[in-house]
């Protein structure tokens, strides 16, 4: 429910008072004690606490859905001075209740599935969506996977100007804790609150470049992208003018071919080329060339383009809106 609230908090269709309340879930979760988190750190690190002269600050800096963050300093053997870092620690109750949460999600999906006609979804859409959500939540509690992902993200953005990724501190990591460098900055929405239009556009450009353009136009055959970019995971360093991207537990990959078809879809939407739009969407679907799915895609594309005003040039968000409609009609991507 916390994760759901974080996602919905930025939905502009909700009432402002509800959005404000939900946005507190991005940084204002308080359901664990600092001494419990400290105990997990001591248990996980053992003798490494003395080996690296680790000193943990007494208070929790931030809490997320499944983890809490505490600052620390340590003695890096390759450095003459003490270095600062943060521990991201799996909350103690998460492991105990995670299986129950996943079971409740599955039962909710089955309940909603019985009423799919009322919601305007195809029969299997909800169960497939909930299965994907469960898989992503499993990734979020897999700290070893996140640590490997953080290393990849750091390498990906190492030479990119205007963005910083925390650096993994491997000697101080464990199965339930991830140690990384502390990166200064404020929540990105706070950084632009009350700022000029020009300032807001500059920061928005940085986020689009780093979160969308870099993964989309990467030269690698498989490109990793951040799959949980809510405002609580995005900081802005006002001193250096850099965006800081946190929490790489939820990531996915797009192949070169998937990205190529996506870019071509944007172009063909702008040209209102129905046949090519259908072709690019079919290429991105799991079974886009089956007779049933082709019929759904053709029908959605024709209706979508017919509704577009001739005076407006359709853009990338129109393409995403179209793909959403096709997915809700039952075509799996």
């Amino acid at each position: 429910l916390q994760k759901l609230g974080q996602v919905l908090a930025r939905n502009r269709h909700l009432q402002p008072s509800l959005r404000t309340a939900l946005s507190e879930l991005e940084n204002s979760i308080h359901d664990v004690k600092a001494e419990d988190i400290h105990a997990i750190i001591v248990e996980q690190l053992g003798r490494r606490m003395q080996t690296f002269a680790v000193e943990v600050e007494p208070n929790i800096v931030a809490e997320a859905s499944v983890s809490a963050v505490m600052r620390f300093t340590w003695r890096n053997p390759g450095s003459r001075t003490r270095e600062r870092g943060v521990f991201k620690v799996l909350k103690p109750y998460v492991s105990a209740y995670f299986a129950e949460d996943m079971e409740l999600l599955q039962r909710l999906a089955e309940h909603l599935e019985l009423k799919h006609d009322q919601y305007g979804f195809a029969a299997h859409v909800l169960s497939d969506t909930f299965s994907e959500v469960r898989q992503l939540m499993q990734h979020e509690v897999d700290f070893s996977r996140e640590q490997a992902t953080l290393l990849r993200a750091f390498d990906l953005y190492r030479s990119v100007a205007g963005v910083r990724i925390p650096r993994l501190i491997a000697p101080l990591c464990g199965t339930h804790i991830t140690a990384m460098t502390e990166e200064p900055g404020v929540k990105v929405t706070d950084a632009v609150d009350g700022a000029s239009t020009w300032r807001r556009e500059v920061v928005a450009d940085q986020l689009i470049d780093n979160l969308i353009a870099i993964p989309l136009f990467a030269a690698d055959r498989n490109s990793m992208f951040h799959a949980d970019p809510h405002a609580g995971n995005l900081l802005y360093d006002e001193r250096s003018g850099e965006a800081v991207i946190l929490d790489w537990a939820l990531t996915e990959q797009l192949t070169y071919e998937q990205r190529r078809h996506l870019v071509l879809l944007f172009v063909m939407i702008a040209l209102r080329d129905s046949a090519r739009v259908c072709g690019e969407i079919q290429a991105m679907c799991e079974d886009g060339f089956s007779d049933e799915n082709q019929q759904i895609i053709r029908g959605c594309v024709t209706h979508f383009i017919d509704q577009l005003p001739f005076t407006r040039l359709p853009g990338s968000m129109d393409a995403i809106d179209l793909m959403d409609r096709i997915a809700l009609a039952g075509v799996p991507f």
Side-chain angles (χ1 to χ4, degrees):
L1 289 176
Q2 290 172 349
K3 180 61 63 181
L4 181 61
Q6 290 172 348
V7 173
L8 291 177
R10 301 295 158 180
N11 188 322
R12 296 182 180 273
H13 297 291
L14 300 180
Q15 291 185 0
S17 59
L18 178 57
R19 290 176 57 199
T20 299
L22 290 175
S23 67
E24 295 180 5
L25 295 173
E26 294 169 349
N27 291 100
S28 304
I29 300 171
H30 302 292
D31 58 8
V32 70
K33 296 179 180 179
E35 50 266 32
D36 293 335
I37 298 300
H38 187 272
I40 294 173
I41 294 172
V42 172
E43 178 186 2
Q44 288 270 297
L45 293 184
R47 293 181 179 179
R48 286 178 287 172
M49 292 285 291
Q50 289 74 39
T51 302
F52 295 99
V54 177
E55 295 180 3
V56 184
E57 293 188 6
N59 299 320
I60 292 175
V61 179
E63 290 186 47
S65 304
V66 301
S67 60
V69 177
M70 299 188 79
R71 293 189 177 99
F72 71 92
T73 61
W74 68 298
R75 179 73 69 181
N76 187 340
S79 175
R80 295 182 179 181
T81 60
R82 295 184 64 81
E83 298 183 6
R84 298 189 62 84
V86 294
F87 286 121
K88 177 184 175 183
V89 185
L90 185 69
K91 294 181 179 180
Y93 59 79
V94 169
S95 297
Y97 293 108
F98 186 79
E100 181 184 4
D101 277 2
M102 296 302 99
E103 174 63 22
L104 288 171
L105 274 178
Q106 182 60 38
R107 286 164 57 185
L108 176 60
E110 293 169 356
H111 171 72
L112 295 176
E113 198 96 314
L114 297 175
K115 303 180 180 181
H116 69 89
D117 286 339
Q118 299 177 31
Y119 296 114
F121 299 152
H124 61 82
V125 168
L126 283 170
S127 59
D128 290 349
T129 301
F130 274 80
S131 294
E132 292 177 7
V133 170
R134 292 173 68 187
Q135 182 180 14
L136 288 172
M137 291 300 290
Q138 289 168 350
H139 289 170
E140 191 159 18
V141 299
D142 186 349
F143 275 43
S144 298
R145 181 182 185 275
E146 179 188 12
Q147 290 157 20
T149 302
L150 186 57
L151 286 172
R152 291 179 56 204
F154 184 83
D155 287 340
L156 177 63
Y157 287 92
R158 182 197 299 267
S159 59
V160 179
V163 62
R164 278 203 321 271
I165 309 297
R167 178 172 51 82
L168 188 74
I169 304 175
L172 300 180
C173 289
T175 55
H176 289 170
I177 64 171
T178 295
M180 66 195 89
T181 54
E182 181 183 7
E183 302 297 335
V186 297
K187 187 175 173 182
V188 68
T189 45
D190 293 337
V192 298
D193 187 26
S196 66
T197 300
W198 173 83
R199 180 67 170 168
R200 295 169 68 90
E201 288 178 351
V202 167
V203 176
D205 283 345
Q206 285 182 260
L207 295 180
I208 292 169
D209 285 345
N210 297 322
L211 292 169
I212 300 177
I214 288 177
L216 189 61
F217 297 109
D220 298 337
R221 298 302 301 178
N222 292 298
S223 177
M224 178 181 70
F225 66 91
H226 196 296
D228 191 21
H230 64 76
N233 288 339
L234 302 173
L235 302 182
Y236 190 76
D237 188 342
E238 296 174 298
R239 184 183 59 182
S240 66
E242 293 176 309
V244 182
I245 307 176
L246 305 176
D247 198 348
W248 289 84
L250 296 185
T251 59
E252 286 297 328
Q253 294 190 39
L254 289 174
T255 66
Y256 178 83
E257 285 302 313
Q258 287 171 328
R259 287 176 280 138
R260 175 177 172 274
H261 289 304
L262 190 62
V263 172
L264 286 172
L265 173 62
F266 294 164
V267 175
M268 296 307 153
I269 281 279
L271 296 176
R272 301 173 187 252
D273 187 333
S274 298
R276 290 293 302 274
V277 168
C278 288
E280 301 305 334
I281 291 176
Q282 289 168 357
M284 288 186 284
C285 296
E286 290 183 1
D287 189 16
F289 293 95
S290 70
D291 291 341
E292 180 182 1
N293 286 343
Q294 284 191 57
Q295 184 176 354
I296 293 173
I297 293 170
R298 280 198 302 269
C300 288
V301 169
T302 300
H303 179 70
F304 187 81
I305 291 181
D306 286 345
Q307 282 188 321
L308 285 173
F310 286 107
T311 56
R312 185 169 69 83
L313 178 67
S316 58
M317 288 309 299
D318 293 298
I320 298 302
D321 188 23
L322 174 58
M323 292 175 70
D324 283 342
R325 296 185 187 192
I326 292 170
L328 293 176
V331 179
F333 285 94

